[in-house]
Amino acid sequence: MSAQACPVPDNALLQRYVGQGATYTDCYRVEAQQQVSMSEFVTAFYTTPLFRAERLILSMALRKRIHDGDIDAMLSGRARTFAIWHVEEQSEDELLVCDAKDATRSWFSVMPLAQGGTALHFGSVVVAHQGRPLPKIVQYTTPLHIFYARSLLNAARRRLLM
């Protein structure tokens, strides 16, 4: 099963951004047949070959190498940042990170399934500030973002199966 769009769960950390004026939110879900912890999911997501390409671009822009250990440091609480993101809020089964400009957020969630396995969620936010509409570039690139977000979630699921 590939990643599918789904509503943001009612009690999710991401829910606070849903329906906030022109702010864009999305949520995708895929199921893993095994039990997956938040740490395993986020680590798999950020270490997929697809995201490693983004990390390379970010490393060049930041002029700083992004290491796999940086992910573990963030997830364990030893650091509050990873690359351009900082932890906005974290629980045992959710992680909400925000970029340095407070403009975008990424959300991760793991939910045990009654029949076994885990539902993996990935969501995004692009904040519309001060009641203004989102910039046209955001509107124009949304289809690409949707494809990329679903591809990343599918890649993380495949990585967890390895």
Side-chain angles (χ1 to χ4, degrees):
M1 175 182 130
S2 66
Q4 299 295 317
C6 66
V8 175
D10 289 338
N11 58 348
L13 297 174
L14 187 63
Q15 190 59 243
R16 67 184 73 158
Y17 296 102
V18 175
Q20 299 298 313
T23 293
Y24 170 84
T25 56
D26 63 24
C27 182
Y28 301 95
R29 172 189 163 123
V30 70
E31 294 181 3
Q33 294 178 346
Q34 74 274 29
Q35 292 296 314
V36 178
S37 71
M38 175 58 60
S39 179
E40 291 169 326
F41 174 36
V42 174
T43 299
F45 186 94
Y46 284 135
T47 59
T48 62
L50 184 57
F51 199 85
R52 283 190 186 278
E54 183 174 338
R55 282 173 53 180
L56 178 63
I57 294 165
L58 289 171
S59 291
M60 289 186 293
L62 296 171
R63 294 187 175 106
K64 175 185 163 194
R65 183 128 191 238
I66 300 168
H67 300 277
D68 288 352
D70 298 340
I71 302 163
D72 182 57
M74 176 187 66
L75 292 169
S76 68
R78 294 190 321 270
R80 297 294 293 165
T81 62
F82 168 68
I84 62 168
W85 299 279
H86 66 271
V87 175
E88 182 172 320
E89 195 166 341
Q90 184 175 14
S91 70
E92 186 176 321
D93 57 359
E94 290 183 83
L95 174 67
L96 182 63
V97 294
C98 177
D99 74 355
K101 294 182 179 182
D102 199 34
T104 65
R105 285 161 176 77
S106 295
W107 171 74
F108 303 86
S109 168
V110 294
M111 298 173 132
L113 297 170
Q115 70 273 22
T118 309
L120 308 172
H121 291 92
F122 174 65
S124 305
V125 176
V126 180
V127 177
H129 289 287
Q130 301 170 352
R132 293 188 301 239
L134 289 172
K136 292 285 185 198
I137 189 72
V138 173
Q139 296 171 33
Y140 296 143
T141 59
T142 297
L144 178 60
H145 162 77
I146 292 168
F147 175 77
Y148 185 57
R150 290 179 62 186
S151 297
L152 285 168
L153 185 53
N154 288 326
R157 180 179 172 273
R158 282 191 303 276
R159 187 159 187 79
L160 288 164
L161 295 174
M162 297 176 127

